[in-house]
Amino acid sequence: MRRLFLLISVVLSLIVLGVLTKGLVSGRTDRAPAGGAALVAVTVPALNAKTREGEVLFGQNCAGCHGDNAAGRDGFGPPLVHRIYEPGHHGDGAFHLAAARGVRAHHWPFGDMPPVENVSERDVERIVAYVRALQRANGIN
């Protein structure tokens, strides 16, 4: 009886978690894409020299979890081209702190983000410029 209660509790908890997180990612309808697929569609704008440099740095340091063009990766990390990361909610300083110190999971069910090794403040500046350019091109101001 006790095992049955525990099993039912676990199943119900997973269902509730699924319902609560389903609407976090815009454009998601029924199930999350499999195998690290992008979580959102991203329009990539024309980039200037600074944002192109940020694109390269993002690819080297961030895309493994946050996906190509900051579209997120199912099972790995959230999209940064998302209203949650708009400048009014997560300012540029939040990105600098996250890279330097890591960040505890608080918006998404991906787990904590570790600090990013070997990324300078200048690198993070370029990465943030790139992410902000992507956000603007996708209606996130």
Side-chain angles (χ1 to χ4, degrees), residues 42-47 130 133-138:
V42 176
T43 298
V44 180
L47 301 173
Y130 169 65
L134 292 173
Q135 290 175 338
R136 284 188 302 276
N138 289 273

Side-chain angles (χ1 to χ4, degrees), residues 41-99:
V42 176
T43 298
V44 180
L47 301 173
N48 63 31
K50 182 178 178 179
T51 54
R52 276 194 307 275
E53 189 178 340
E55 178 183 34
V56 170
L57 290 164
F58 185 92
Q60 294 169 345
N61 298 286
C62 313
C65 293
H66 293 288
D68 294 336
N69 302 315
R73 284 191 67 211
D74 185 46
F76 294 92
L80 299 178
V81 179
H82 191 280
R83 62 182 169 77
I84 286 177
Y85 298 102
E86 66 186 353
H89 185 71
H90 282 90
D92 294 357
F95 288 92
H96 284 269
L97 286 174

